[in-house]
Amino acid sequence: MTGKRIAAAGIADIAAKVDARARLSLEDGVRLFECGDLLAVGHLANRERERRHGKLTYYNFNIRLEATNVCVASCLFCSFARLTPDSPAAYTLSLDQVFEKLRQRADQPLTEVHVVNGLHPDLPFEYYSDMLRGLKRIRPGIHLKCFTAVEIAFFSDIYKMSDREVLVRLMEAGLDSLPGGGAEIFAPRVRKKISHDKADADRYLSIHRIAHELGMRTNVTMLYGHIETYAERVDHMLRARALQDETGGFQAFIPLAFHPDNNQMRKLPAPTATDTLRVHAVSRLMLDNIPHVKAFWIATGVEVAQQALWFGADDLDGTVQEEKIYHMAGARTPETMSTASIRRLIRAAGREPVERDTLYNVVTGPEESDEVRHRIATPQALSASYV
Ligand code: V47
């Protein structure tokens, strides 16, 4: 793309800042959202993506476990939560049922278990610590990325511990990192409306700060496409960037597209594909200190996730294998993708697939044949997967 087109798009000064490795401001971020030429914004983001990662695109071999959907919080965007244990469709798995989900995957070369739950008012702390211990007993080498900062805050409040104490005790039980969920939009105007009764932005960020101090890596998400303004999106990114300046502990920024089915914001339209591409691009440009931007294919849709690999994203998350939060909110993506399908989609987008573990160590590079690592995947697992 020529400098002429960037200039015609009105973002030549922002391009010059990016080239000079100067930081973009709130106003720059808003202008990138308002810019009429999406491809010009995407071009700048892609340059930054390629400067960091070339053509490489990361994914991992993981499973998602949602042990309970009972949740005392009443977030307007949520289609997953049930307020009380006796609400219709409320569920809480026994620890044996949780363990069985991992045992069933004994034949798969998984590297990560990602656990997210509702805020259940009646379970003992041991439910969570024994869950971690049991998962590690079944697969000692597996990385446990469990419990959002919002869950950690809830544990501190109901079990009467400090946030640090909760994190230390869960780490002793096997916790390896925190996922990025629960961030939503940090700006108080939005947060008060869409999720007024859970940890606020300062608490979320403080828990991530403590996790980083304790040596854990974490992710940070942003739920977009509902009532937030462009300035509130950029403000969210800047708050994540500021904490990253302090700690360096965030690995990935993950924009999460709002899904409107079966929740209290169902009258709102879902964000469009172009908005999704732009959010990934602006994230890449604003977050100069966070190494990875993830296009979570469950949330964006598979096809848009592929395009996002040219708009700043360098990661697609993983095989996932069972997903409730998005599918209860109307996602039409499959619930799982085989690693062979993920690698094929990445190659079809003109990128090079790299299987990583949670900490971005390379498990399988682009050059290795798909059969090498996945020959032990069962035929059932492959035929149940996407395409
Ligand atoms: O915090 C809930 C979001 C998050 C809806 O860290 C919704 O690697 C859209 O955080 N429409 C949980 N989004 C998922 C999450 C995540 C996903 C992938 C990777 C990682 C990671 C973390 O899902 C919640 C909330 O922000 N969410 N309901 C909805 N209707």
Side-chain angles (χ1 to χ4, degrees), residues 10-253:
I11 54 173
D13 58 324
I14 296 180
K17 272 188 170 180
V18 173
D19 284 343
R21 310 261 188 283
R23 285 223 137 152
L24 301 188
S25 65
L26 181 91
E27 193 206 353
D28 295 329
V30 172
R31 282 175 55 210
L32 289 168
F33 274 115
E34 287 171 347
C35 174
D37 188 344
L38 172 64
L39 289 184
V41 176
H43 175 74
L44 288 187
N46 187 52
R47 266 186 2 201
E48 284 307 294
R49 183 249 198 251
E50 291 189 354
R51 190 171 67 71
R52 287 172 171 79
H53 307 292
K55 287 183 162 188
L56 300 182
T57 295
Y58 299 93
Y59 68 94
N60 71 350
F61 202 141
N62 66 350
I63 52 167
R64 177 74 84 82
L65 294 178
E66 288 123 347
T68 180
N69 65 348
V70 175
C71 189
V72 296
S74 42
C75 303
L76 297 192
F77 54 81
C78 189
S79 318
F80 169 71
R82 297 294 177 270
L83 200 55
T84 59
D86 51 8
S87 313
Y91 74 88
T92 301
L93 301 182
S94 69
L95 286 181
D96 267 348
Q97 287 171 316
V98 172
F99 299 151
E100 189 49 30
K101 288 193 179 281
L102 185 56
R103 281 198 206 98
Q104 280 167 4
R105 310 283 179 187
D107 56 337
Q108 295 183 349
L110 296 172
T111 59
E112 175 187 281
V113 180
H114 176 173
V115 179
V116 187
N117 302 313
L119 309 178
H120 195 302
D122 303 323
L123 295 169
F125 183 68
E126 289 65 36
Y127 178 81
Y128 304 99
S129 52
D130 289 351
M131 183 186 300
L132 295 169
R133 286 203 175 85
L135 292 170
K136 275 275 157 97
R137 214 173 296 124
I138 296 166
R139 294 283 283 261
I142 206 115
H143 183 108
L144 299 181
K145 183 178 81 178
C146 308
F147 316 130
T148 65
V150 166
E151 291 172 78
I152 301 293
F154 180 72
F155 297 161
S156 311
D157 294 346
I158 62 165
Y159 306 125
K160 309 272 181 268
M161 288 186 258
S162 67
D163 294 340
R164 186 175 293 269
E165 203 182 332
V166 169
L167 288 170
V168 167
R169 285 186 56 180
L170 292 175
M171 284 173 81
E172 283 164 3
L175 181 68
D176 293 304
S177 66
L178 297 186
E184 324 316 354
I185 290 283
F186 291 142
R189 181 194 76 86
V190 178
R191 205 169 179 89
K192 273 191 204 128
K193 283 194 179 149
I194 68 170
S195 51
H196 70 282
D197 54 358
K198 70 182 190 190
D200 65 9
D202 288 344
R203 183 93 182 268
Y204 175 99
L205 290 165
S206 153
I207 287 170
H208 281 265
R209 181 184 293 107
I210 298 167
H212 298 165
E213 284 166 6
L214 292 170
M216 281 195 284
R217 292 278 179 265
T218 72
N219 293 330
V220 52
T221 58
M222 177 178 83
L223 178 71
Y224 67 91
H226 42 92
I227 60 164
E228 82 289 0
T229 63
Y230 291 155
E232 285 161 342
R233 288 179 182 178
V234 181
D235 167 76
H236 186 95
M237 294 172 194
L238 293 183
R239 290 181 201 230
R241 190 172 82 180
L243 179 56
Q244 183 72 344
D245 278 343
E246 275 180 54
T247 66
F250 285 132
Q251 301 202 107
F253 185 80

